[in-house]
Amino acid sequence: MPRITLVFLLCVSLLPAHAQQVNKAKQGKSLTPKRGQTDAHGHQWWQHAVFYEVYPRSFADGNDDGVGDLKGITSKLGYLRDLGVDAIWITPCFPSPQVDFGYDVSDFENIDPQYGTLADFDRMVQEGRKQNVEIILDFVMNDTSDKHKWFIESKSSRHNPKRDWYVWRDGHGREQPPNNWTSLFGHSAWKWDDATKQFYYHTFYPEQPDLNWRNPAVKQAMFDVTRFWYKRGVAGFRLDAVDNLFEDPELKDNPNQAEKYQYGDPEQDRIHNSNLPEVHVVLKELRKVADESHAVLIGETWTADVAALKAYYGEHDNELQLPMDFLFTQVNKLSPAEFRKQMAGVIDSGGWPVYLLSNHDIPRAYSRYGDGSHNDAIAKLTAALYLTLPGTPIMYYGEEIGMANSEPKRIEDVKDPIGKLGWPKEKGRDGERTPMQWNDSPNAGFSAAAPWLPVSPSYKTHNVATEQQDPDSILNFYRSVLKLRHEDAAMLEGKYVALNEKDNNVLSYLRVDGDRAILVALNMTGEAQKPAFDLSSQGFADAQPKVLLTTMKSGPGSLDSLSLEPFSVYIAEVKK
Ligand code: GLC
């Protein structure tokens, strides 16, 4: 019996009754409006939805060839519904040579045979409708595969009509590229083409030539790609690498920094090939196309600060509805002060926040925040944090069971090309992309065949089947907090009010909704903490808190004598 289950059984009689009830509860009536509708507060479906990222290679393998696929995803939509997920974002599942595991797209309007067919896609959308799970696709706007028919034509001659669909330039001979720009994946961002004696530009791998978004024909063709999928029932897109769409036409050199980054090249201030103002013009137009289908646009928006993030919403909320706040993912320690600062920045900016803990490019939260001995408690703590904040959360598959990062140990095992290039400083992203852990059978129930990446050794204890049986598991905690989020209006609409802003140990806040509020207190330390709450300035002076959800083993008692166990979560309702 896992240790946490044993502890749970011993302590179950001490738990406050409400916590047990919440743990047993099924997802009930959700307050999330349907697509195209708004709720009484004027909020749309994506504002109350919980999104969940699926990396298709690694989620569920429907045909037992070791690589996940759409049939596999379809078979798990019921699981996701029960978990409390409203929409899934599937990373690219289009035909691709898989140099960048799907981010090198060779046909935007089809499904890669290893993931299935368009008919499988349509079945997934239908099943999603039955389960109330919307489908979001990845829109790789910045580049195509070098095997895409557009690039093959473009490359065929300097006079081809598609030549100007990509960024071709003369260099100074074949050895000297047009300027000093480096690829985000290492070395020069220019690749020489011997047949036509010019260089083409690639932000990422040389197999991913950048599209020329200054060409109106490119824009039209790409907008039509989104229309193709909207017609097939897609509810929106996650826009890949959106800050890289435009480059300075004069190709001015970027300033080099003194520091070298993991591929040995100098770090650059990417002032001439990233975040150019033209990006916002395209986003406004793309939004108009999305609005015709009540669709949502999520952005992969890496920004240096909140002001740049804010710009992605558009001055009149006419660009991205959901630009991801990656600044939140950069808070890499359990620091109440840093989280507070980050949350206040985004919330005060007036944008609708979009929080995530990790994704297919960012090491898993379980390992980033875990201290090695309280990792499961910390996984619940970080879940409680970003799932009780105002805004829209995007979960990453496996986070709900506490999947750990599982990096390759030897360079010969690395699959992600940047891991081969940057080893050992940069080990690549295989660690956060290992197969979903469904049960404790071989290959974690992901596939009957050897998976494309080895499963993490943690699958014996951290898997869906085992955790479903354990009321104290991370999985059941996620279900409980998501249920609360869907069913309690204060969780969705309540105003965020920071409490005890000088406390360096406990992060606490209210979500105030009229004459009631939800109090969230998160002990971010390994010691018991006794926070003092004075809620009189919010009008809740004499409130008797009613615990809605807690990970405490003993009854928390009254607010005055509240003692928070190490890394514990305390969520309670207070009324005026
Ligand atoms: C995006 C994707 C990443 C990919 C890169 C280049 O950043 O999230 O996985 O490698 O684009 O295609």
Side-chain angles (χ1 to χ4, degrees):
M1 183 182 296
R3 195 179 53 79
I4 44 172
T5 313
L6 183 64
V7 173
F8 175 80
L9 291 177
L10 289 175
C11 300
V12 76
S13 57
L14 299 173
L15 266 173
H18 28 256
Q20 289 175 58
Q21 280 161 16
V22 173
N23 274 339
K24 277 190 203 145
K26 288 249 182 309
Q27 301 296 330
K29 178 128 185 48
S30 165
L31 296 174
T32 307
K34 290 257 176 308
R35 185 163 155 210
Q37 297 173 357
T38 45
D39 67 8
H41 294 78
H43 286 145
Q44 301 190 46
W45 73 274
W46 47 265
Q47 294 182 283
H48 289 336
V50 171
F51 288 71
Y52 181 101
E53 177 188 351
V54 170
Y55 196 67
R57 296 184 77 76
S58 299
F59 192 60
D61 184 5
N63 65 352
D64 286 327
D65 63 354
V67 175
D69 47 42
L70 299 190
K71 274 194 186 132
I73 298 173
T74 308
S75 72
K76 301 297 184 188
L77 290 174
Y79 160 78
L80 293 171
R81 178 71 260 166
D82 287 347
L83 174 61
V85 166
D86 303 282
I88 56 171
W89 146 39
I90 306 174
T91 62
C93 50
F94 318 108
S96 161
Q98 305 289 332
V99 172
D100 194 17
F101 296 110
Y103 278 97
D104 46 324
V105 179
S106 54
D107 179 356
F108 287 109
E109 297 183 352
N110 213 330
I111 298 295
D112 192 298
Q114 62 179 307
Y115 299 136
T117 61
L118 278 172
D120 291 331
F121 179 84
D122 294 341
R123 270 190 291 273
M124 179 175 67
V125 173
Q126 270 169 20
E127 182 61 18
R129 288 212 176 106
K130 273 195 223 144
Q131 303 285 356
N132 276 328
V133 176
E134 298 283 1
I135 309 293
I136 306 291
L137 286 181
D138 213 306
F139 188 34
V140 187
M141 301 176 71
N142 179 65
D143 44 70
T144 71
S145 159
D146 61 346
K147 301 293 182 293
H148 194 292
K149 64 179 183 210
W150 297 343
F151 188 70
I152 293 173
E153 282 185 50
S154 181
K155 197 180 165 186
S156 65
S157 122
R158 285 193 186 207
H159 309 291
N160 185 278
K162 294 239 163 33
R163 184 66 170 183
D164 193 38
W165 280 43
Y166 294 83
V167 184
W168 290 98
R169 288 290 189 282
D170 293 328
H172 314 281
R174 60 185 304 153
E175 299 305 329
Q176 241 201 317
N179 67 11
N180 77 343
W181 296 348
T182 51
S183 156
L184 284 172
F185 286 167
H187 311 321
S188 172
W190 296 97
K191 172 137 171 117
W192 173 254
D193 174 50
D194 212 25
T196 58
K197 308 273 184 264
Q198 275 192 315
F199 287 87
Y200 68 84
Y201 175 66
H202 55 94
T203 303
F204 299 101
Y205 293 120
E207 293 85 348
Q208 294 168 294
D210 273 47
L211 283 163
N212 175 16
W213 275 87
R214 295 185 191 279
N215 182 334
V218 167
K219 204 160 67 173
Q220 268 325 309
M222 290 300 274
F223 286 5
D224 284 348
V225 168
T226 66
R227 291 190 179 98
F228 172 89
W229 291 108
Y230 291 143
K231 280 196 205 118
R232 287 199 115 91
V234 160
F237 286 95
R238 174 265 191 186
L239 309 184
D240 181 61
V242 70
D243 30 339
N244 299 298
L245 293 191
F246 286 88
E247 301 78 37
D248 166 30
E250 290 173 29
L251 304 185
K252 287 191 234 30
D253 276 351
N254 280 331
N256 279 335
Q257 298 174 358
E259 246 170 82
K260 296 234 162 145
Y261 77 139
Q262 56 263 49
Y263 311 109
D265 320 299
E267 193 72 79
Q268 289 191 341
D269 292 332
R270 298 170 51 79
I271 53 173
H272 296 303
N273 54 352
S274 183
N275 268 316
L276 266 57
E278 291 90 325
V279 169
H280 295 281
V281 178
V282 166
L283 291 182
K284 284 188 186 70
E285 293 177 42
L286 194 63
R287 172 67 181 273
K288 282 194 188 139
V289 181
D291 282 348
E292 290 161 15
S293 301
H294 304 293
V296 65
L297 298 178
I298 306 172
E300 190 200 9
T301 38
W302 289 95
T303 59
D305 51 37
V306 172
L309 181 62
K310 169 99 170 104
Y312 275 112
Y313 293 92
E315 245 174 273
H316 306 287
D317 278 334
N318 52 356
E319 296 186 27
L320 304 179
Q321 293 103 319
L322 299 177
M324 294 182 196
D325 178 5
F326 285 109
L327 298 161
F328 188 82
T329 68
Q330 310 293 298
V331 180
N332 267 326
K333 54 180 181 213
L334 291 177
S335 158
E338 284 191 37
F339 277 120
R340 239 177 247 129
K341 184 168 147 238
Q342 182 49 34
M343 279 142 37
V346 176
I347 293 168
D348 293 351
S349 81
W352 185 262
V354 185
Y355 297 119
L356 58 145
L357 294 177
S358 58
N359 71 15
H360 65 284
D361 297 324
I362 302 174
R364 287 187 175 274
Y366 186 85
S367 306
R368 287 204 338 268
Y369 294 107
D371 67 350
S373 45
H374 303 89
N375 287 18
D376 286 11
I378 294 171
K380 294 175 192 171
L381 185 85
T382 51
L385 167 61
Y386 90 117
L387 297 174
T388 61
L389 289 174
T392 298
I394 305 181
M395 296 170 57
Y396 185 44
Y397 82 93
E399 178 189 299
E400 75 276 21
I401 52 170
M403 272 176 66
N405 230 62
S406 185
E407 284 168 351
K409 304 273 174 303
R410 310 174 312 169
I411 186 171
E412 44 284 31
D413 298 331
V414 175
K415 295 274 192 301
D416 184 10
I418 56 170
K420 291 185 187 141
L421 194 67
W423 189 271
K425 207 167 167 195
E426 166 63 68
K427 294 193 170 128
R429 298 160 292 180
D430 296 350
E432 53 263 34
R433 297 173 176 179
T434 58
M436 176 69 179
Q437 297 162 196
W438 293 105
N439 57 44
D440 66 0
S441 71
N443 305 330
F446 163 75
S447 175
W452 75 285
L453 275 179
V455 293
S456 155
S458 76
Y459 82 96
K460 284 281 179 199
T461 49
H462 291 73
N463 64 68
V464 172
T466 303
E467 293 192 38
Q468 260 164 352
Q469 302 306 316
D470 174 3
D472 197 29
S473 65
I474 300 173
L475 178 59
N476 276 318
F477 182 80
Y478 264 85
R479 289 168 57 104
S480 298
V481 76
L482 289 175
K483 179 177 161 61
L484 188 64
R485 184 182 174 91
H486 281 303
E487 296 173 12
D488 193 309
M491 280 280 97
L492 297 172
E493 316 287 353
K495 185 174 179 307
Y496 168 85
V497 179
L499 298 174
N500 298 356
E501 294 194 63
K502 300 242 152 41
D503 190 331
N504 286 326
N505 302 313
V506 178
L507 178 63
S508 49
Y509 44 90
L510 291 176
R511 299 291 312 279
V512 182
D513 188 29
D515 57 4
R516 67 186 284 275
I518 291 184
L519 166 67
V520 179
L522 307 170
N523 180 358
M524 297 202 154
T525 72
E527 290 89 46
Q529 300 290 342
K530 293 191 173 194
F533 290 110
D534 175 6
L535 305 182
S536 52
S537 54
Q538 282 82 33
F540 297 103
D542 305 317
Q544 290 303 311
K546 177 181 155 211
V547 180
L548 300 175
L549 182 59
T550 181
T551 57
M552 305 245 278
K553 303 295 178 220
S554 57
S558 73
L559 208 49
D560 293 340
S561 59
L562 184 64
S563 173
L564 294 172
E565 292 165 10
F567 299 115
S568 63
V569 172
Y570 172 82
I571 304 176
E573 176 192 50
V574 287
K575 280 188 177 160
K576 282 192 181 158

